Amino acid sequence: MTDGRGCSNGRVNSPPPDEGGAPVGRRLVLTMLGLGAAGVAAAPVLQRALENGLGAVADKDPTGLTGLLPNGGGFRYYSVTTSVPERTAADYRLTVDGMVDRPATYTLASLKALPQTRMVRDVQCVTGWRVPETPFEGVRLSALLDAAGVRPGAKAIRFTCFDGAYSESLTLDQARRPDVLVATRMQDKPLAHSHGGPVRLYVAPMYFYKSAKWLSGITVTDSVRPGYWEELGYDVDAWVGRSNGRDDAPTA
Amino acid sequence: MTSTPGWAVPTDGTTPLLPEHGPKVRRFTTAERWVHRTTAWLTLLCVATAAFLYVPQLAELVGRRHLVVTVHEWSGLLIPVPLLAGLVSRALRADLSRLNRFGPHDRQWLRAALRRDRTPGSRPAGKFNAGQKLYAGWIAGAVLVMLGTGLLMWFTGLAPLVWRTGATFVHDWLALAIGIVLAGHMAKALADPEARRGMRTGSVERPWARSEHPLWREPEE
């Protein structure tokens, strides 16, 4: 073909230089799929190794950037509303009402004046992250219920929050457990706004979505009313390791 | 056997295949540009919502977790759709085939890129250079892995818990890698206005095509 006729036919008829060769693109796609599947299978081992390595680095990391890496450890901020108003000791109020003999309203100071309980347990989120050995401190929920005088026939508690949207629920038996607190301190510091401060619920044996942030109302009811995430499919009885299809180690 | 410059197929990448004179060179059809545009917007939406779910400071800024999760899930699920729809276009299928195939000149291009060698003729490339080919294959595979692991996390009844935990692990780390690679992809585009013009208008200047893609043959209209 290349006989020197001086026209462009030779070029048009020869195999195009950029259309032959090995199918490297397809191999790359298949390699990625294989690596992805292998990653899913090997995740338990890899995750443990990374957590150990990253944990050690994160302890010495002044920038906090390691906290942004997957499995970097620490808490994640979840809010279901656009913005959450700030409440301070001056304007924070917690109401206890519903099927009780003595409805009450607490300020931050009056909550702190009651007997305090401090507990150190792991925190387990239903999305998978776990923060070990986190101290919470506050008033036992059972103490507030006893002070209000729960009426016969009451079966459950509904919790509401000053973010305006979040709600939670517990049965009366669950609410009376000694490891359920109305918490005002976390990690031995006053509860920060981003952690649900000044006051949040703390339900030690359950997934962390039960521990409603920005707690503002405790209402005793005659039946369980599912909370925000529970309306969207999460389990109402959210025992760590025995609900939501998960098998995490229990936290209490 | 005689050889006329610019006529026999060059293998050293020094003699461009495109004639020196003529109108602008058509690089992408309208269908291809729309596939790129919609894929790009879906990807940006998916990456942005991922950041707002994942980075605590950003999560605190927007909240509304249920809405952000929904947008993230649907934008991610839709990312492959424009490309699949575009498969009806013959030009797009031809370009996919070009991206798939690696010739000897692609190896030469990669070696030069690794050496940071920019001397003229050191990086022979057809319509797509070896870097673009590697990016296309990698990101296609990565998107499929993100789709698979994402679906495992979305539909929790699909697989046992240990798979779901593994899927979360792969999804998180691959997201980080994809973020870095996408930043590189956009940085390359920002650094080359003529390449961007090609994707925006469909045509590129002839001198650019001859120097950046010497082995690119003029498309037959």
Side-chain angles (χ1 to χ4, degrees), chain A residues 50-138:
Chain A
L50 274 169
E51 270 166 20
N52 293 338
L54 277 179
V57 176
D59 285 343
K60 298 181 187 106
D61 174 17
T63 64
L65 285 176
T66 43
L68 295 182
L69 290 175
N71 314 114
F75 287 88
R76 311 253 172 101
Y77 175 91
Y78 296 165
S79 166
V80 300
T81 60
T82 310
S83 68
V84 181
E86 304 249 356
R87 294 278 158 85
T88 63
D91 58 358
Y92 175 78
R93 297 291 182 274
L94 173 66
T95 58
V96 181
D97 57 15
M99 299 173 69
V100 294
D101 292 326
R102 295 173 293 277
T105 300
Y106 293 89
T107 62
L108 193 55
S110 60
L111 281 173
K112 293 202 166 173
L114 295 170
Q116 304 288 304
T117 302
R118 183 176 178 273
M119 292 191 332
V120 183
R121 302 271 191 284
D122 290 1
V123 165
Q124 176 73 50
C125 177
V126 75
T127 61
W129 53 266
R130 188 179 182 104
V131 181
E133 314 263 313
T134 308
F136 281 90
E137 196 174 336

Coordinates of all heavy atoms in Angstrom, one line a residue, chain A residues 50-138:
Chain A
L50 N -5.5 -0.8 60.7 CA -5.5 0.6 60.5 C -5.9 1.4 61.8 O -5.3 2.4 62.1 CB -6.5 1.0 59.4 CG -6.0 0.9 58.0 CD1 -7.1 1.0 57.0 CD2 -5.0 2.0 57.7
E51 N -6.9 0.8 62.5 CA -7.3 1.5 63.7 C -6.1 1.6 64.7 O -5.9 2.6 65.3 CB -8.4 0.7 64.4 CG -9.8 1.2 63.9 CD -10.9 0.3 64.2 OE1 -10.8 -0.6 65.2 OE2 -12.0 0.4 63.6
N52 N -5.3 0.5 64.8 CA -4.2 0.5 65.7 C -3.2 1.6 65.2 O -2.7 2.4 66.0 CB -3.5 -0.8 65.8 CG -4.4 -1.8 66.4 OD1 -5.3 -1.5 67.2 ND2 -4.2 -3.1 66.2
G53 N -2.8 1.6 63.9 CA -1.9 2.5 63.4 C -2.3 3.9 63.5 O -1.6 4.8 64.0
L54 N -3.6 4.2 63.0 CA -4.1 5.5 63.0 C -4.3 6.1 64.4 O -4.1 7.2 64.7 CB -5.4 5.6 62.2 CG -5.3 5.7 60.7 CD1 -6.7 5.7 60.1 CD2 -4.6 7.0 60.3
G55 N -4.8 5.2 65.3 CA -5.0 5.6 66.7 C -3.7 6.1 67.3 O -3.7 7.2 67.9
A56 N -2.6 5.4 67.0 CA -1.3 5.9 67.5 C -0.9 7.2 67.0 O -0.4 8.1 67.7 CB -0.2 4.8 67.2
V57 N -1.1 7.4 65.6 CA -0.8 8.7 65.0 C -1.7 9.8 65.5 O -1.2 10.9 65.8 CB -0.9 8.5 63.5 CG1 -0.6 9.9 62.8 CG2 0.1 7.5 62.9
A58 N -3.0 9.5 65.6 CA -4.0 10.5 66.0 C -3.7 11.0 67.4 O -3.9 12.2 67.6 CB -5.4 9.9 65.9
D59 N -3.1 10.2 68.3 CA -2.8 10.7 69.6 C -1.8 11.8 69.6 O -1.7 12.6 70.5 CB -2.3 9.5 70.5 CG -3.4 8.6 70.9 OD1 -4.6 9.0 70.8 OD2 -3.2 7.4 71.3
K60 N -0.9 11.7 68.6 CA 0.2 12.7 68.5 C 0.0 13.8 67.4 O 0.9 14.5 67.1 CB 1.5 12.0 68.2 CG 1.9 11.0 69.3 CD 3.2 10.3 69.0 CE 3.5 9.2 70.0 NZ 3.4 7.9 69.4
D61 N -1.2 13.8 66.9 CA -1.5 14.7 65.7 C -2.1 16.0 66.2 O -3.2 16.1 66.6 CB -2.4 14.0 64.7 CG -2.9 14.9 63.6 OD1 -2.2 15.9 63.4 OD2 -3.9 14.6 62.9
P62 N -1.3 17.1 66.1 CA -1.8 18.4 66.6 C -2.8 19.0 65.6 O -3.6 19.9 66.0 CB -0.6 19.3 66.7 CG 0.4 18.7 65.8 CD 0.1 17.2 65.6
T63 N -2.8 18.6 64.3 CA -3.6 19.3 63.3 C -5.1 18.7 63.4 O -6.0 19.4 62.9 CB -3.1 19.0 61.9 OG1 -3.1 17.6 61.6 CG2 -1.7 19.5 61.8
G64 N -5.3 17.5 63.9 CA -6.6 16.9 63.9 C -7.0 16.4 62.6 O -8.1 15.9 62.4
L65 N -6.1 16.4 61.6 CA -6.5 15.9 60.3 C -6.7 14.4 60.2 O -7.6 13.9 59.5 CB -5.4 16.2 59.2 CG -5.3 17.7 58.8 CD1 -4.1 17.9 57.9 CD2 -6.6 18.1 58.1
T66 N -6.0 13.7 61.1 CA -6.3 12.2 61.1 C -7.7 11.9 61.5 O -8.2 10.8 61.2 CB -5.3 11.5 62.1 OG1 -5.2 12.3 63.3 CG2 -3.9 11.4 61.5
G67 N -8.3 12.8 62.3 CA -9.7 12.5 62.7 C -10.6 12.5 61.5 O -11.7 12.0 61.6
L68 N -10.2 13.1 60.3 CA -11.1 13.1 59.1 C -10.9 11.8 58.3 O -11.7 11.5 57.4 CB -10.7 14.3 58.2 CG -11.0 15.6 58.9 CD1 -10.7 16.7 57.9 CD2 -12.5 15.7 59.3
L69 N -9.8 11.0 58.6 CA -9.6 9.8 57.8 C -10.6 8.8 58.3 O -11.1 8.8 59.4 CB -8.2 9.2 58.1 CG -7.1 10.1 57.5 CD1 -5.7 9.5 57.9 CD2 -7.2 10.1 55.9
P70 N -11.0 7.8 57.4 CA -11.9 6.8 57.8 C -11.3 6.0 59.0 O -10.1 5.8 59.0 CB -12.0 5.9 56.5 CG -11.6 6.8 55.4 CD -10.7 7.8 55.9
N71 N -12.1 5.7 59.9 CA -11.7 5.0 61.1 C -10.6 5.8 61.9 O -9.8 5.2 62.6 CB -11.1 3.6 60.8 CG -11.9 2.8 59.8 OD1 -11.5 2.5 58.7 ND2 -13.1 2.5 60.3
G72 N -10.6 7.1 61.7 CA -9.7 7.9 62.5 C -10.1 8.0 64.0 O -9.3 8.5 64.8
G73 N -11.3 7.5 64.3 CA -11.7 7.5 65.7 C -12.4 8.8 66.0 O -12.4 9.8 65.3
G74 N -13.1 8.8 67.2 CA -13.8 10.0 67.6 C -15.3 10.0 67.2 O -15.8 9.1 66.5
F75 N -16.0 11.1 67.7 CA -17.4 11.2 67.5 C -17.7 11.8 66.1 O -16.9 12.6 65.6 CB -18.0 12.0 68.6 CG -18.1 11.3 69.9 CD1 -17.1 11.3 70.8 CD2 -19.3 10.6 70.2 CE1 -17.2 10.7 72.0 CE2 -19.3 9.9 71.4 CZ -18.3 9.9 72.3
R76 N -18.8 11.5 65.5 CA -19.3 12.2 64.3 C -20.5 13.0 64.7 O -21.3 12.6 65.5 CB -19.7 11.2 63.2 CG -18.6 10.1 63.0 CD -17.9 10.3 61.7 NE -16.8 9.4 61.6 CZ -16.8 8.3 60.8 NH1 -17.9 8.0 60.2 NH2 -15.8 7.5 60.8
Y77 N -20.6 14.2 64.0 CA -21.8 15.1 64.3 C -22.9 14.7 63.4 O -22.8 14.8 62.1 CB -21.3 16.5 64.1 CG -22.4 17.5 64.3 CD1 -22.7 18.1 65.5 CD2 -23.2 17.9 63.2 CE1 -23.8 19.0 65.6 CE2 -24.3 18.8 63.3 CZ -24.5 19.3 64.5 OH -25.6 20.2 64.7
Y78 N -24.0 14.3 63.9 CA -25.2 14.1 63.1 C -26.3 15.0 63.6 O -26.7 15.0 64.8 CB -25.7 12.7 63.2 CG -24.8 11.6 62.7 CD1 -25.0 10.3 63.0 CD2 -23.8 11.9 61.8 CE1 -24.2 9.3 62.5 CE2 -22.9 10.9 61.4 CZ -23.2 9.6 61.7 OH -22.4 8.6 61.2
S79 N -27.0 15.8 62.7 CA -28.1 16.6 63.1 C -29.2 16.4 62.0 O -28.9 16.4 60.8 CB -27.8 18.0 63.3 OG -29.0 18.8 63.4
V80 N -30.5 16.3 62.4 CA -31.5 16.1 61.4 C -32.1 17.4 61.0 O -33.0 17.4 60.1 CB -32.6 15.1 61.9 CG1 -32.0 13.8 62.3 CG2 -33.3 15.7 63.1
T81 N -31.7 18.5 61.6 CA -32.3 19.8 61.2 C -31.2 20.7 60.6 O -30.0 20.4 60.7 CB -32.9 20.6 62.4 OG1 -31.8 20.8 63.4 CG2 -34.0 19.7 63.0
T82 N -31.6 21.9 60.0 CA -30.6 22.7 59.4 C -29.7 23.4 60.4 O -28.5 23.4 60.2 CB -31.4 23.8 58.6 OG1 -32.4 23.2 57.8 CG2 -30.4 24.6 57.8
S83 N -30.3 23.9 61.5 CA -29.4 24.5 62.5 C -30.1 24.3 63.9 O -31.4 24.2 63.9 CB -29.2 25.9 62.3 OG -30.4 26.7 62.4
V84 N -29.3 24.2 64.9 CA -29.9 23.9 66.2 C -29.6 25.2 67.1 O -28.5 25.6 67.1 CB -29.2 22.7 66.8 CG1 -29.8 22.4 68.2 CG2 -29.4 21.5 65.9
P85 N -30.6 25.7 67.7 CA -30.4 26.9 68.6 C -29.5 26.5 69.7 O -29.4 25.4 70.2 CB -31.8 27.3 69.1 CG -32.6 26.1 68.8 CD -32.0 25.3 67.7
E86 N -28.7 27.6 70.2 CA -27.9 27.3 71.3 C -28.6 27.7 72.6 O -29.4 28.6 72.7 CB -26.7 28.3 71.3 CG -25.9 28.2 70.0 CD -24.5 27.6 70.2 OE1 -24.1 27.3 71.3 OE2 -23.8 27.3 69.2
R87 N -28.5 26.8 73.6 CA -29.1 27.1 74.9 C -28.0 27.1 76.0 O -27.1 26.2 75.9 CB -30.1 26.0 75.3 CG -31.4 26.0 74.4 CD -32.4 27.0 74.8 NE -33.3 27.4 73.7 CZ -34.4 26.7 73.4 NH1 -34.7 25.6 74.1 NH2 -35.1 27.0 72.4
T88 N -28.1 28.0 76.9 CA -27.1 28.1 77.9 C -27.8 27.9 79.3 O -29.0 27.6 79.3 CB -26.5 29.6 78.0 OG1 -27.6 30.5 78.3 CG2 -25.9 29.9 76.6
A89 N -27.0 28.0 80.3 CA -27.5 27.8 81.7 C -28.6 28.8 82.0 O -29.6 28.5 82.7 CB -26.4 27.9 82.7
A90 N -28.6 30.0 81.3 CA -29.6 31.0 81.5 C -31.0 30.6 81.0 O -32.0 30.9 81.6 CB -29.1 32.3 81.0
D91 N -31.0 30.1 79.8 CA -32.3 29.9 79.1 C -32.6 28.4 78.9 O -33.6 28.1 78.2 CB -32.4 30.7 77.8 CG -31.3 30.3 76.8 OD1 -30.5 29.4 77.2 OD2 -31.3 30.8 75.7
Y92 N -31.8 27.5 79.4 CA -32.2 26.1 79.2 C -33.3 25.6 80.2 O -33.2 25.9 81.4 CB -30.9 25.2 79.4 CG -31.3 23.7 79.3 CD1 -31.5 23.1 78.1 CD2 -31.6 22.9 80.5 CE1 -31.9 21.8 78.0 CE2 -32.0 21.6 80.4 CZ -32.2 21.1 79.1 OH -32.6 19.8 79.0
R93 N -34.3 24.9 79.6 CA -35.3 24.3 80.5 C -35.6 22.9 80.1 O -35.7 22.6 78.9 CB -36.6 25.1 80.4 CG -36.6 26.6 80.9 CD -36.4 26.7 82.4 NE -36.4 28.1 82.8 CZ -35.3 28.8 82.8 NH1 -34.1 28.3 82.5 NH2 -35.3 30.1 83.3
L94 N -35.8 22.0 81.1 CA -36.2 20.6 80.8 C -37.6 20.4 81.5 O -37.7 20.6 82.7 CB -35.2 19.7 81.3 CG -35.6 18.2 81.2 CD1 -35.7 17.7 79.8 CD2 -34.6 17.3 82.0
T95 N -38.6 20.1 80.7 CA -39.9 19.8 81.3 C -40.2 18.3 81.5 O -39.8 17.5 80.6 CB -41.0 20.4 80.5 OG1 -41.0 19.9 79.2 CG2 -40.9 21.9 80.4
V96 N -40.8 18.0 82.5 CA -41.3 16.6 82.8 C -42.8 16.7 82.9 O -43.3 17.4 83.8 CB -40.6 16.0 84.0 CG1 -41.1 14.6 84.2 CG2 -39.1 16.1 84.0
D97 N -43.5 16.0 82.0 CA -45.0 16.1 82.1 C -45.6 14.8 81.5 O -45.0 13.8 81.4 CB -45.5 17.3 81.3 CG -45.0 17.3 79.8 OD1 -44.6 16.3 79.3 OD2 -45.1 18.4 79.2
G98 N -46.9 14.8 81.2 CA -47.6 13.6 80.8 C -48.3 13.0 81.9 O -48.9 13.7 82.8
M99 N -48.2 11.6 82.0 CA -48.9 10.9 83.0 C -48.2 10.9 84.3 O -47.7 9.8 84.8 CB -49.2 9.5 82.5 CG -50.1 9.4 81.3 SD -50.2 7.8 80.6 CE -51.2 7.0 81.8
V100 N -48.0 12.1 85.0 CA -47.3 12.2 86.2 C -48.2 13.0 87.2 O -49.0 13.8 86.8 CB -46.0 12.9 86.1 CG1 -45.0 12.0 85.2 CG2 -46.1 14.3 85.4
D101 N -47.9 12.8 88.5 CA -48.7 13.6 89.5 C -48.1 15.0 89.7 O -48.9 15.9 90.0 CB -48.6 12.8 90.8 CG -49.3 11.5 90.8 OD1 -50.4 11.5 90.1 OD2 -48.9 10.5 91.4
R102 N -46.8 15.2 89.5 CA -46.2 16.5 89.7 C -45.3 16.9 88.6 O -44.1 16.7 88.6 CB -45.3 16.4 91.0 CG -46.1 16.1 92.3 CD -45.2 15.9 93.5 NE -44.4 14.6 93.4 CZ -44.9 13.4 93.7 NH1 -46.1 13.2 94.1 NH2 -44.1 12.3 93.5
P103 N -45.9 17.5 87.5 CA -45.1 18.0 86.4 C -44.1 18.9 86.9 O -44.3 19.7 87.9 CB -46.1 18.7 85.5 CG -47.4 18.1 85.9 CD -47.4 17.7 87.3
A104 N -42.9 19.0 86.2 CA -41.8 19.8 86.7 C -41.1 20.5 85.6 O -41.1 20.0 84.5 CB -40.9 19.0 87.6
T105 N -40.4 21.6 85.9 CA -39.5 22.2 84.9 C -38.1 22.4 85.6 O -38.1 22.9 86.8 CB -40.0 23.5 84.5 OG1 -41.3 23.3 83.8 CG2 -39.1 24.2 83.5
Y106 N -37.1 21.9 85.0 CA -35.7 22.0 85.6 C -34.9 23.0 84.8 O -35.0 23.1 83.6 CB -35.0 20.6 85.5 CG -35.7 19.6 86.4 CD1 -36.7 18.7 85.9 CD2 -35.2 19.4 87.7 CE1 -37.3 17.8 86.7 CE2 -35.8 18.4 88.5 CZ -36.8 17.6 88.0 OH -37.4 16.7 88.8
T107 N -34.1 23.7 85.5 CA -33.0 24.5 84.9 C -31.7 23.7 85.0 O -31.7 22.6 85.6 CB -32.8 25.8 85.7 OG1 -32.3 25.5 87.0 CG2 -34.0 26.6 85.7
L108 N -30.7 24.1 84.3 CA -29.4 23.4 84.3 C -28.9 23.3 85.8 O -28.4 22.3 86.2 CB -28.4 24.1 83.4 CG -27.1 23.4 83.1 CD1 -27.4 22.0 82.5 CD2 -26.2 24.2 82.2
A109 N -29.1 24.4 86.5 CA -28.6 24.5 87.9 C -29.3 23.5 88.7 O -28.7 22.8 89.6 CB -28.7 25.9 88.4
S110 N -30.7 23.4 88.6 CA -31.4 22.5 89.4 C -31.1 21.0 89.1 O -31.2 20.2 89.9 CB -32.9 22.8 89.3 OG -33.4 22.6 88.0
L111 N -30.8 20.7 87.8 CA -30.4 19.4 87.5 C -29.0 19.0 88.1 O -28.8 17.9 88.6 CB -30.2 19.2 85.9 CG -31.5 19.0 85.1 CD1 -31.2 19.1 83.6 CD2 -32.2 17.7 85.5
K112 N -28.1 20.0 88.2 CA -26.8 19.8 88.7 C -26.9 19.7 90.3 O -26.0 19.1 90.9 CB -25.8 20.9 88.3 CG -25.6 20.8 86.8 CD -24.3 21.5 86.4 CE -23.9 21.1 85.0 NZ -22.8 21.8 84.4
A113 N -27.9 20.2 90.8 CA -28.1 20.1 92.3 C -28.5 18.7 92.8 O -28.4 18.4 93.9 CB -29.1 21.2 92.8
L114 N -29.0 17.9 91.8 CA -29.5 16.6 92.2 C -28.3 15.6 92.2 O -27.2 15.9 91.7 CB -30.5 16.1 91.1 CG -31.8 16.9 91.1 CD1 -32.6 16.5 89.9 CD2 -32.6 16.7 92.4
P115 N -28.5 14.5 92.9 CA -27.4 13.5 93.0 C -26.9 13.1 91.6 O -27.7 12.8 90.7 CB -28.0 12.3 93.7 CG -29.2 12.8 94.4 CD -29.7 14.0 93.6
Q116 N -25.6 13.1 91.4 CA -25.0 12.9 90.1 C -24.4 11.4 90.0 O -23.9 10.9 91.0 CB -23.8 13.9 89.8 CG -24.3 15.3 89.9 CD -25.1 15.8 88.7 OE1 -24.8 15.6 87.6 NE2 -26.3 16.2 89.0
T117 N -24.5 10.9 88.8 CA -24.0 9.5 88.5 C -23.0 9.6 87.4 O -23.3 10.3 86.4 CB -25.1 8.5 88.2 OG1 -26.0 8.5 89.2 CG2 -24.5 7.1 87.9
R118 N -21.8 9.0 87.6 CA -20.8 9.0 86.5 C -20.6 7.6 86.0 O -20.5 6.7 86.8 CB -19.5 9.6 87.0 CG -18.4 9.7 85.9 CD -17.1 10.4 86.5 NE -16.1 10.5 85.5 CZ -15.2 9.6 85.2 NH1 -15.2 8.4 85.9 NH2 -14.2 9.7 84.3
M119 N -20.7 7.4 84.6 CA -20.5 6.1 84.1 C -19.5 6.2 82.9 O -19.4 7.2 82.2 CB -21.8 5.6 83.5 CG -22.8 5.3 84.6 SD -24.2 4.4 84.0 CE -24.3 4.9 82.4
V120 N -18.7 5.2 82.8 CA -17.7 5.1 81.7 C -18.0 3.8 80.9 O -17.7 2.7 81.4 CB -16.2 5.1 82.2 CG1 -15.3 5.1 81.0 CG2 -16.0 6.3 83.1
R121 N -18.5 4.0 79.7 CA -18.8 2.9 78.8 C -18.4 3.2 77.4 O -18.1 4.4 77.1 CB -20.3 2.6 78.8 CG -20.9 2.3 80.1 CD -20.9 0.9 80.4 NE -21.7 0.5 81.6 CZ -21.4 0.8 82.8 NH1 -20.2 1.4 83.1 NH2 -22.2 0.4 83.8
D122 N -18.4 2.2 76.5 CA -18.1 2.5 75.1 C -19.4 3.1 74.5 O -20.5 2.8 74.9 CB -17.8 1.2 74.3 CG -16.5 0.7 74.6 OD1 -15.8 1.3 75.5 OD2 -16.1 -0.4 74.1
V123 N -19.2 4.0 73.5 CA -20.3 4.5 72.7 C -20.4 3.8 71.4 O -19.3 3.7 70.7 CB -20.2 6.0 72.5 CG1 -21.2 6.5 71.4 CG2 -20.5 6.8 73.8
Q124 N -21.5 3.2 71.0 CA -21.6 2.5 69.7 C -22.7 3.2 68.8 O -23.9 3.2 69.2 CB -21.9 1.0 69.9 CG -22.2 0.2 68.7 CD -20.9 0.0 67.9 OE1 -19.9 -0.5 68.5 NE2 -20.8 0.3 66.6
C125 N -22.3 3.6 67.6 CA -23.3 4.2 66.7 C -23.7 3.1 65.8 O -23.0 2.2 65.5 CB -22.6 5.3 65.9 SG -23.8 6.0 64.6
V126 N -25.0 3.2 65.4 CA -25.6 2.2 64.5 C -24.9 2.2 63.1 O -25.0 1.2 62.4 CB -27.1 2.4 64.5 CG1 -27.5 3.6 63.6 CG2 -27.8 1.1 64.0
T127 N -24.3 3.3 62.8 CA -23.6 3.4 61.5 C -22.2 2.7 61.5 O -21.5 2.7 60.6 CB -23.4 4.8 60.9 OG1 -22.6 5.5 61.9 CG2 -24.8 5.5 60.8
G128 N -21.8 2.3 62.7 CA -20.6 1.5 62.8 C -19.5 2.0 63.7 O -18.7 1.3 64.2
W129 N -19.4 3.4 63.8 CA -18.3 3.9 64.6 C -18.5 3.6 66.1 O -19.6 3.5 66.6 CB -17.9 5.3 64.3 CG -19.0 6.4 64.4 CD1 -19.8 6.8 63.4 CD2 -19.5 7.1 65.6 NE1 -20.7 7.7 63.9 CE2 -20.5 7.9 65.2 CE3 -19.1 7.1 66.9 CZ2 -21.2 8.8 66.1 CZ3 -19.8 7.9 67.8 CH2 -20.8 8.7 67.4
R130 N -17.4 3.5 66.8 CA -17.4 3.2 68.3 C -16.3 4.0 68.9 O -15.2 4.1 68.4 CB -17.1 1.7 68.5 CG -17.4 1.2 69.9 CD -17.1 -0.3 70.0 NE -17.3 -0.9 71.3 CZ -18.3 -1.6 71.6 NH1 -19.3 -1.9 70.8 NH2 -18.4 -2.1 72.9
V131 N -16.7 4.6 70.0 CA -15.7 5.4 70.8 C -15.6 4.7 72.1 O -16.5 4.6 72.9 CB -16.1 6.9 70.9 CG1 -15.1 7.7 71.7 CG2 -16.4 7.5 69.6
P132 N -14.4 4.2 72.5 CA -14.2 3.5 73.7 C -14.2 4.4 74.9 O -13.8 5.5 74.9 CB -12.9 2.8 73.5 CG -12.1 3.6 72.5 CD -13.1 4.3 71.7
E133 N -14.7 3.8 76.1 CA -14.4 4.4 77.4 C -14.8 5.9 77.5 O -13.9 6.7 77.8 CB -13.0 4.2 77.8 CG -12.5 2.8 77.6 CD -12.5 1.9 78.8 OE1 -12.1 2.4 79.9 OE2 -13.0 0.8 78.7
T134 N -16.0 6.2 77.2 CA -16.4 7.6 77.3 C -17.2 7.9 78.5 O -18.2 7.3 78.8 CB -17.3 8.0 76.1 OG1 -16.6 7.5 74.9 CG2 -17.5 9.5 76.0
P135 N -16.6 8.8 79.4 CA -17.4 9.2 80.6 C -18.6 10.1 80.4 O -18.5 11.0 79.6 CB -16.3 9.9 81.5 CG -15.0 9.8 80.7 CD -15.4 9.5 79.3
F136 N -19.7 9.7 80.9 CA -20.9 10.5 81.0 C -21.3 10.8 82.4 O -21.1 9.9 83.2 CB -22.1 9.9 80.2 CG -22.0 10.0 78.7 CD1 -21.3 9.0 78.0 CD2 -22.6 11.1 78.1 CE1 -21.2 9.1 76.6 CE2 -22.5 11.2 76.7 CZ -21.8 10.2 76.0
E137 N -21.9 11.9 82.7 CA -22.2 12.2 84.1 C -23.5 13.0 84.1 O -23.7 13.9 83.2 CB -21.1 13.1 84.7 CG -21.2 13.1 86.2 CD -20.0 13.8 86.9 OE1 -18.9 13.9 86.2 OE2 -20.2 14.3 88.0
G138 N -24.4 12.7 85.0 CA -25.7 13.4 85.1 C -26.6 12.8 86.1 O -26.2 12.0 86.9

